[in-house]
Each structure stands twice: as structure tokens, then as C-alpha cells.
Amino acid sequence: MSAQSTTFPTLQPSEFLAACEALANRYDAADHTSDAPSARWKEVGRDTQYLKIARVLPSPPEGEGEAEAEAEEEQEQEIDDPPDEAALQRSAALPNAVVEYSIVLSPTYRVPVLYFSLHNSSRAPRLEAVYEALVPLSMRGGLRSVGVLGGLSRGDHPITGRPAFFVHPCNTAAAMQALVGAEGVPVEEYLVLWLGVVGGCVGLCVPAGVAAGGGGF
């Protein structure tokens, strides 16, 4: 068992690096199916390490993608008219898109931040399309109202500089404290619990083999 975080619910940079390495090792050791997320430990520079996790969005049922593409084309032809909710939902399908998540330590909040971007889609997705594609229906209201998870925002990735969406970290520390209490958790378990709080709201769930890897819950 690893040491407890000394500043729980926040993390020191060295603790964050240890937590990322532990999570990446769990992914490597787990028995994944072919469509399960894969994790890679990235080292851009001495102070810019982060963890990258990729997953492929499932394809829609046969025929559904074609109908949605037609709906998008009709919407573009009516660009002068404001899109209604139904049109936004039709444009939300992002079949076969690859979602790249990255976990970065916030220098301000001292908690992990989950950034993500979508690739292989025909265009840069709108925020509403991201909600439709990734956020479970039961969580959309809470995210839109900036609930305990902090809401979705868009900005530049702090390491790559590329545009990305992210789950705002302003309430992460409070959510972690409410989850496990003041006693905290071992550093190696921190990100598994954190993903349970933050990841599920944008389609990143911890595989059972990864969650069980530490045997510490």
C-alpha cells in the first residue's frame, strides 16, 4: 500500500506523478477487451507529465448514422435559421470518433483535471454534441448548472496548446473529500476514485479490471 496523500484532497506534483504511473500500470496489467480504453503515460517535459487515455465511441445502429447525416445537411442549408433542440440532438452523433482524454494536474487547484478532445469526426464538435455523445442523460442537468462536478468548459490544453474540452476543477477537492472523508486515500488509489467522480460524467468509466487492480477499496 502506498503512502497517503499529504495534502488530501489536493495532490503534490510528486504525488500526482506517482498516481498517474500507478493508474497507467493498472491499465497495462488489466485484461482489456479490444474496444476498452488504453492508457499511455506521456512525458513532454520535466514538469509537464500527464496521463493520456483513448477510447473509440461505439457506432450507431445501422441506418441511424445516415439519417443523422442527412439531418445535418438540411440544417446547414437552413443556416440562417436558429437551430432548435431537435436539430442539435441530430447533429450530436459522432460515430467512430476517438475520444482522447488526458489527466493533468492543475497548478491553481492542485487537483487533477480531465481534458478531452474528439478525433475522426467530420467537424469540430459543438459543446451540445459533446453532451449528447458523452454525458449520460442523468448527469446533463448537473453539469449544465455547474453542480458538484464543476461543469464542462472549452479552452486550450495546458500542455499541447490544442483546443479541448475539460471538466472544470473548482469543486473537485470538495467532491473527493465528500466521497472518502478527511482521512484521505493512498496516492496510488487517488485517480481511480477521482475517475469515479469525474470520468463517468464524460464517458470515461474505470474498467472493472483496473478498479480491482489495487485491491484497496
Side-chain angles (χ1 to χ4, degrees):
M1 185 69 68
S2 66
Q4 300 285 111
S5 170
T6 58
T7 58
F8 184 84
T10 62
L11 287 175
Q12 295 293 328
S14 61
E15 294 173 337
F16 172 73
L17 297 183
C20 282
E21 290 175 346
L23 185 59
N25 289 337
R26 284 193 183 192
Y27 269 90
D28 290 341
D31 182 18
H32 293 314
T33 59
S34 59
D35 59 348
S38 60
R40 288 184 293 166
W41 177 235
K42 305 286 287 185
E43 294 188 55
V44 178
R46 186 168 187 176
D47 298 318
T48 55
Q49 293 94 338
Y50 68 104
L51 187 66
K52 182 177 177 181
I53 301 173
R55 64 179 287 253
V56 179
L57 290 181
S59 299
E62 185 175 355
E64 182 177 313
E66 296 176 1
E68 286 168 346
E70 292 176 359
E72 283 190 5
E73 183 175 351
E74 292 175 1
Q75 183 179 344
E76 289 175 355
Q77 293 172 352
E78 300 172 358
I79 194 168
D80 292 334
D81 297 326
D84 57 16
E85 182 68 18
L88 288 172
Q89 290 178 357
R90 286 195 299 271
S91 69
L94 300 169
N96 300 318
V98 176
V99 189
E100 288 189 353
Y101 302 91
S102 57
I103 303 172
V104 180
L105 183 66
S106 167
T108 301
Y109 293 94
R110 292 294 182 184
V111 295
V113 184
L114 185 62
Y115 285 83
F116 60 96
S117 56
L118 293 96
H119 305 276
N120 296 349
S121 54
S122 59
R123 67 189 69 183
R126 301 174 180 175
L127 182 59
E128 186 65 25
V130 171
Y131 272 101
E132 293 294 335
L134 297 179
V135 181
L137 184 61
S138 62
M139 295 184 177
R140 291 175 192 170
L143 281 176
R144 287 191 174 105
S145 63
V146 193
V148 68
L149 296 175
L152 293 185
S153 300
R154 181 184 294 174
D156 292 337
H157 192 286
I159 296 175
T160 67
R162 298 172 181 170
F165 297 97
F166 65 97
V167 181
H168 200 281
C170 61
N171 291 318
T172 298
M176 290 293 290
Q177 187 112 41
L179 178 66
V180 301
E183 67 275 11
V185 295
V187 169
E188 290 184 0
E189 309 289 348
Y190 186 104
L191 286 181
V192 175
L193 291 175
W194 171 82
L195 280 175
V197 173
V198 176
C201 74
V202 288
L204 181 60
C205 298
V206 181
V210 174
F217 311 129

